Amino acid sequence: MPESSIRYRIIHRTHYRYSDSVAVCQNQLRMQPSTRPGVTCHRSEIAVLPEPMTVTEHTDYFGNCVYSFAIETLHKELTAVATSEVTVDPPSVVGESGAIPWNTIVGQPGDIRQSRSGRYVDEFCFDSPRGQKESKYADYARVSFTDGRGIVEATLDLTKRIHHDFRYDTCATEVNTPTADAFALRAGVCQDFAHIQIACLRSIGLPARYVSGYLRTIPPPGEERKIGADESHAWISVYCGPELDWIDFDPTNACQCTTDHIPICIGRDYGDVSPMRGVILGGGQTWLKVSVDVEPIQPLV
């Protein structure tokens, strides 16, 4: 039976607590989905406490929603809650070997290709701080990308190899760990796995981008869904030619992405899409708690 579109309600709560008062904070949030091919944003709003003095919103270069705010009153706690409703469509069904050969998609100097969204494709062939081309990544990728192999089949094979060869270990890396270090360790988390796969794909000339979002978790049989237990997640998207456009793959879970994957932001790497960034004056020691609740509202026929 074909997979149906699914509508979700998402609540992403971020809570900071400080040992000393913060006098000033300025932050940017990238927690709100945008309407793109495969996903429709029905509504999205952000609530911040203490109430900000100033709030601005804009769309960044990659089409992501950015919510910026400043608080200039003393505070020892900060809470930001993003509430959204989106519909995720199932990916196009394509035979693994039925797609065009991967080497026909390799970017060439001077290419100015555009995706279905109208955005440029070939800029995702270039280096970024966390996705730099190197021979070691190309050598690793070419085990999957043999001459003439279909782009979907080859990318899925690489996705599964990363899942098999790299250990998921939340203690092995941290948010600023360079991709080269995670590759050498053969360990990391979803962010590292995504950066490694992006580096591999770019190193053989394929456009690849970073996707941040959420992964719906399925409770074991007989157990209720735990509120706030869903995850922020990261995966990759590779350009598969003008007919298939961008297709998403999840190296952490060794699969092509499905309606369980809810994209929020895209960029060259994590640095373009971090959910919350900013500066504070004061604060002392900081404690952070994040919870995400992803609730399916209804499947859509």
Side-chain angles (χ1 to χ4, degrees):
M1 184 176 179
E3 190 178 11
S4 299
S5 299
I6 299 180
R7 184 161 175 157
Y8 292 99
R9 179 182 297 111
I10 307 161
I11 302 175
H12 184 154
R13 181 184 300 273
T14 303
H15 180 74
Y16 282 94
R17 185 165 56 88
Y18 310 102
S19 60
D20 301 325
S21 293
V22 173
V24 176
C25 81
Q26 295 183 338
N27 288 281
Q28 282 191 343
L29 307 183
R30 285 176 170 82
M31 300 178 180
Q32 296 173 280
S34 300
T35 295
R36 310 177 189 270
V39 59
T40 302
C41 179
H42 303 288
R43 72 178 187 91
S44 185
E45 57 192 29
I46 290 179
V48 176
L49 287 175
E51 186 174 350
M53 289 188 63
T54 60
V55 171
T56 61
E57 298 181 63
H58 73 277
T59 300
D60 71 11
Y61 176 78
F62 298 106
N64 305 314
C65 297
V66 183
Y67 181 99
S68 303
F69 68 91
I71 300 173
E72 299 181 10
T73 55
L74 291 175
H75 58 280
K76 297 186 74 171
E77 294 187 59
L78 171 65
T79 301
V81 181
T83 304
S84 307
E85 285 190 14
V86 300
T87 293
V88 179
D89 299 323
S92 301
V93 177
V94 56
E96 290 182 14
S97 60
I100 61 177
W102 72 270
N103 43 296
T104 65
I105 301 171
V106 170
Q108 303 297 326
D111 280 350
I112 310 178
R113 294 177 290 183
Q114 289 185 314
S115 66
R116 290 176 188 166
S117 67
R119 299 189 179 277
Y120 295 113
V121 167
D122 294 283
E123 60 191 351
F124 291 102
C125 290
F126 300 140
D127 283 349
S128 65
R130 306 287 285 274
Q132 297 184 351
K133 299 186 289 290
E134 292 188 37
S135 59
K136 62 185 177 185
Y137 301 130
D139 291 342
Y140 185 84
R142 287 195 181 102
V143 174
S144 299
F145 286 83
T146 53
D147 188 45
R149 195 176 193 184
I151 179 65
V152 175
E153 180 184 15
T155 305
L156 186 58
D157 186 71
L158 175 62
T159 301
K160 292 178 177 179
R161 285 177 51 229
I162 292 173
H163 172 81
H164 179 270
D165 294 347
F166 290 76
R167 183 178 77 258
Y168 188 89
D169 186 345
T170 57
C171 298
T173 58
E174 49 90 30
V175 69
N176 294 316
T177 297
T179 303
D181 290 359
F183 187 78
L185 287 168
R186 291 294 197 268
V189 294
C190 59
Q191 172 183 299
D192 304 298
F193 288 14
H195 284 146
I196 288 165
Q197 188 163 13
I198 288 169
C200 289
L201 293 166
R202 290 180 185 166
S203 294
I204 57 173
L206 291 171
R209 62 191 190 184
Y210 187 98
V211 185
S212 67
Y214 306 110
L215 179 64
R216 178 175 63 138
T217 55
I218 309 297
E223 293 188 18
E224 293 185 359
R225 187 178 63 87
K226 293 179 174 62
I227 303 300
D230 297 288
E231 300 179 9
S232 294
H233 195 45
W235 58 92
I236 70 103
S237 190
V238 60
Y239 183 67
C240 294
E243 182 177 347
L244 297 177
D245 206 50
W246 293 94
I247 295 181
D248 292 5
F249 295 85
D250 181 353
T252 306
N253 292 292
C255 64
Q256 183 179 335
C257 293
T258 68
T259 51
D260 290 337
H261 295 76
I262 306 159
I264 300 298
C265 293
I266 62 170
R268 299 167 302 165
D269 58 35
Y270 175 78
D272 292 331
V273 301
S274 55
M276 186 169 183
R277 69 176 67 170
V279 294
I280 63 172
L281 180 61
Q285 188 174 357
T286 302
W287 294 270
L288 170 64
K289 182 178 181 180
V290 177
S291 67
V292 177
D293 183 38
V294 177
E295 178 189 6
I297 301 174
Q298 63 185 52
L300 305 175
V301 178

